[in-house]
């Protein structure tokens, strides 16, 4: 393939990308085609000679028009998915262009240095210990896994057991305590680490999804031996944060490791207005978060932070004769993450933090929360619309006509109508609409347009007499 041909297909992809981005704010947000349509358009036996590269790029872009949800839309409120800030997207394009394996310093001193600086900035932004260690992983799942692997190493090391050498068979029993409202990635991480979810101790949560400190204290009263406690900053439904200072005090009393799943809630530390919601979070032993949520960098981009760097490194690091690993100040990412082959995912984080600065990040987080409150207050003015949670961060839970059927019908209707996209959930046993405002580009007008569309769908459902 000549350079001219290669340049030409890259230019085509760039043009299609620009066209998509320029149309994003006005697009029908939800997917309009499903598996059958996509398979019909995209599937064929693998050819012997291949196809023209322009035709392949055009095929992909054409089918994406109807076959994907526009998660980067300023009116996408599903799950907790941020958009892509322009500078983060631009940096990510460069990451793909440079195609660096950021596993060890010897391959890319540039990527290693950027990662080291991004780690320093994140610790400063979150007000966490400046000697904590940081690993850049795929997302909240692997961030929780990494932090809890460090926790497992620490508590068993202190009990006289080397889990990396000897495994879990025969090891002292570790008590792992979780909230009834913990995110599913905590369960999955603990399964990966060999604990098994049946052995977990689950403590009560209140009606907002916050771990009850009194229930935690009661659960620990008879526990002996190594303990890991998993708390939460930012419940995935309500946005509520556990009483972290009190939980940290209880953890300290029983010499437990405290991990905080802060997939999006940790970012409250970057906002002067919202930081009190996570008071005491700095007293934990590890923290997980996602930059592809509230920092609005492209997928995938999770962050694992551990107060005790030696335990983090012992749980993750690997070596081999064929690798060139440093023994100096240089950073080998393999010491802090489960992967060796990995993209240089810290570069978009660096670019976004350097562009926004501390004030820009504060504004981004606080603005999203104001938009969520605006959405909740607009919706609940309508008769029969109830907001089920205290809108403390960027999450609002909405129920219609106090009916599971109506609520689910409104969620489905909104997704089909296309002005915005919301997801459904179950909250305290009842169906609810979950609205998550996480995109840097969402304006008050986006909220107003979306609220009007939601209420119009609700009105249509009421007129059909669904009860």
């Amino acid at each position: 393939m000549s350079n001219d041909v290669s340049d030409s297909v890259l230019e085509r992809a760039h043009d299609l990308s620009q066209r998509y981005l320029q149309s994003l704010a006005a697009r029908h947000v939800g997917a309009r085609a499903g598996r059958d349509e996509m398979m019909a358009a995209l599937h064929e036996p693998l050819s012997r000679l291949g196809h023209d590269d322009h035709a392949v790029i055009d095929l992909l872009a054409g089918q994406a028009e109807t076959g994907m949800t526009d998660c980067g839309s300023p009116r996408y409120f599903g799950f907790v998915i941020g958009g892509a800030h322009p500078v983060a997207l631009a940096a990510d394009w460069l990451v793909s262009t440079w195609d660096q394996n950021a596993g060890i310093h010897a391959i890319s001193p540039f990527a290693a240095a950027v990662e080291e600086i991004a780690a320093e900035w994140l610790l400063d932004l979150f007000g966490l210990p400046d000697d904590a260690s940081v690993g850049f992983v795929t997302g909240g799942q692997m961030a929780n896994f990494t932090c809890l692997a460090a926790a497992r190493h620490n508590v068993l090391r202190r009990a006289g057991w080397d889990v990396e050498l000897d495994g879990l068979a025969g090891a002292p029993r570790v008590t792992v305590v979780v909230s009834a409202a913990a995110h599913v990635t905590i369960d999955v991480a603990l399964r990966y680490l060999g604990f098994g979810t049946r052995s977990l101790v689950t403590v009560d949560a209140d009606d907002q999804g916050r771990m009850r400190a009194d229930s935690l204290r009661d659960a620990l009263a008879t526990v002996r031996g190594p303990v890991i406690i998993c708390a939460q900053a930012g419940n995935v439904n309500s946005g509520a944060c556990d009483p972290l200072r009190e939980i940290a005090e209880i953890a300290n009393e029983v010499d437990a490791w405290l991990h905080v799943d802060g997939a999006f809630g940790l970012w409250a530390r970057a906002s002067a207005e919202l930081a009190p919601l996570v008071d005491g979070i700095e007293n934990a032993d590890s923290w997980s978060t996602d930059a592809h949520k509230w920092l609005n960098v492209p997928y995938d981009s999770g962050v694992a932070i551990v107060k005790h760097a030696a335990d983090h490194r012992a749980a993750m690091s690997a070596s081999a004769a064929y690798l060139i690993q440093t023994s100096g100040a240089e950073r080998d990412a393999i010491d802090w993450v489960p992967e060796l082959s990995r993209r240089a995912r810290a570069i978009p984080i660096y670019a976004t933090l350097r562009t926004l600065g501390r004030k820009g990040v504060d504004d981004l987080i606080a603005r999203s929360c104001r938009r969520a409150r605006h959405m909740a207050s607009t919706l609940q003015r309508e008769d029969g619309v109830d907001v089920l949670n205290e809108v403390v961060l960027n999450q609002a839970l909405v129920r219609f006509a106090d009916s599971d059927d109506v609520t689910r019908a409104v969620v489905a209707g909104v997704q089909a109508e296309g002005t915005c996209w919301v997801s459904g959930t179950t909250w305290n046993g009842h169906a609810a609409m979950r609205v998550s405002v996480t995109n840097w580009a969402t304006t008050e007008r986006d909220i107003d347009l979306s609220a009007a569309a939601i209420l119009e769908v609700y009105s249509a459902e009421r007129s059909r007499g669904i009860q």
Side-chain angles (χ1 to χ4, degrees):
M1 179 184 292
S2 71
N3 284 339
D4 287 345
V5 174
S6 176
D7 289 348
S8 175
V9 74
L10 291 175
E11 288 170 2
R12 179 61 177 160
H14 178 266
D15 290 346
L16 290 166
S17 298
Q18 290 284 64
R19 189 180 306 170
Y20 173 76
L21 291 172
Q22 289 164 5
S23 69
L24 192 54
R27 291 174 61 87
H28 182 288
V29 181
R32 287 167 286 167
R35 178 190 182 275
D36 290 348
E37 295 91 339
M38 291 297 100
M39 291 297 290
L42 296 168
H43 181 262
E44 65 173 30
L46 183 62
S47 65
R48 188 172 72 87
L49 297 178
H51 293 280
D52 174 74
D53 53 7
H54 282 71
V56 172
I57 292 300
D58 285 346
L59 172 67
L60 291 171
Q63 294 309 309
E65 284 291 312
T66 57
M68 71 179 183
T69 300
D70 294 309
C71 297
S73 167
R75 295 188 301 281
Y76 180 85
F77 307 119
F79 306 101
V80 192
I81 294 179
H85 192 281
V87 74
L89 178 57
D92 201 60
W93 284 352
L94 290 173
V95 169
S96 293
T97 300
W98 295 328
D99 195 25
Q100 300 286 284
N101 182 340
I104 56 176
H105 179 273
I107 296 174
S108 183
F110 163 70
V114 168
E115 187 166 299
E116 186 175 343
I117 297 164
E120 174 190 321
W121 288 351
L122 287 171
L123 294 175
D124 180 46
L125 190 69
F126 295 144
L128 300 179
D130 59 12
D131 58 349
S133 51
V134 180
F136 294 91
V137 294
T138 53
Q141 179 66 78
M142 292 313 295
N144 283 325
F145 170 85
T146 301
C147 291
L148 290 169
R152 184 183 66 172
H153 174 89
N154 173 279
V155 299
L156 287 174
R157 173 182 59 77
R158 290 191 283 125
W161 189 269
D162 189 328
V163 68
E164 280 72 37
L165 287 179
D166 298 320
L168 283 174
R173 178 179 176 80
V174 178
T175 299
V176 182
V177 185
V178 300
S179 165
H183 194 270
V184 67
T185 54
I186 293 290
D187 283 358
V188 174
L190 292 168
R191 280 170 38 209
Y192 291 167
L193 290 164
F195 288 112
T197 54
R198 188 172 291 156
S199 65
L200 305 181
V201 175
T202 302
V203 301
D204 294 337
D206 67 14
D207 63 354
Q208 294 297 307
R210 295 176 291 236
M211 179 189 285
R212 286 182 48 187
D214 59 338
S215 182
L216 173 64
R217 192 179 294 278
D218 290 344
L220 292 172
T222 59
V223 168
R224 299 292 179 267
V227 177
I228 299 170
I229 300 169
C230 299
Q232 184 171 225
N235 179 280
V236 73
N237 281 308
S238 70
C241 299
D242 291 347
L244 296 169
R245 182 167 296 281
E246 189 174 0
I247 291 171
E249 290 169 357
I250 295 170
N252 186 60
E253 291 170 7
V254 297
D255 203 19
W257 179 290
L258 175 59
H259 170 64
V260 177
D261 175 6
F264 63 98
L266 181 55
W267 291 94
R269 288 281 285 189
S271 166
E273 173 190 347
L274 301 168
L277 293 171
V278 287
D279 174 57
I281 199 171
E282 69 278 5
N283 297 322
D285 297 285
S286 60
W287 309 263
S288 62
T289 195
D290 283 332
H292 57 230
K293 286 185 168 62
W294 240 343
L295 191 61
N296 279 235
V297 306
Y299 278 86
D300 51 35
S301 190
V303 183
I305 306 173
V306 180
K307 182 181 291 185
H308 315 283
D311 293 312
H312 185 179
R313 188 169 191 159
M316 288 293 111
S317 188
S319 61
Y322 55 84
L323 295 177
I324 304 172
Q325 292 172 266
T326 179
S327 58
E330 298 87 356
R331 179 183 176 91
D332 284 330
I334 192 176
D335 290 335
W336 314 110
V337 298
E339 310 149 300
L340 172 55
S341 297
R342 55 193 290 277
R343 68 189 277 108
R345 60 175 62 94
I347 291 174
I349 294 177
Y350 174 98
T352 308
L353 291 175
R354 184 155 185 161
T355 298
L356 294 180
R358 189 183 304 276
K359 184 179 185 303
V361 176
D362 187 335
D363 289 345
L364 168 61
I365 304 306
R367 183 171 67 247
S368 297
C369 296
R370 288 196 301 272
R371 301 285 186 261
R373 292 193 295 270
H374 180 44
M375 175 73 87
S377 64
T378 302
L379 292 177
Q380 70 182 355
R381 285 198 291 267
E382 183 74 13
D383 183 50
V385 180
D386 295 309
V387 175
L388 305 181
N389 65 316
E390 301 166 11
V391 185
V392 293
L393 284 177
N394 61 331
Q395 305 291 107
L397 293 170
V398 187
R399 184 168 168 83
F400 298 87
D402 196 24
S403 164
D404 287 353
D405 290 341
V406 174
T407 299
R408 293 187 182 114
V410 172
V411 170
V414 169
Q415 291 174 352
E417 190 273 340
T419 296
C420 64
W421 203 94
V422 296
S423 51
T425 190
T426 300
W427 180 246
N428 293 332
H430 301 292
M433 171 187 287
R434 182 160 67 113
V435 179
S436 176
V437 186
T438 320
N439 193 305
W440 68 276
T442 302
T443 65
E444 282 195 14
R445 182 173 183 274
D446 289 314
I447 297 297
D448 289 337
L449 288 171
S450 300
I454 292 168
L455 292 175
E456 185 172 342
V457 171
Y458 172 47
S459 177
E461 293 299 329
R462 281 192 301 180
S463 71
R464 277 196 280 269
I466 298 177
Q467 297 297 330

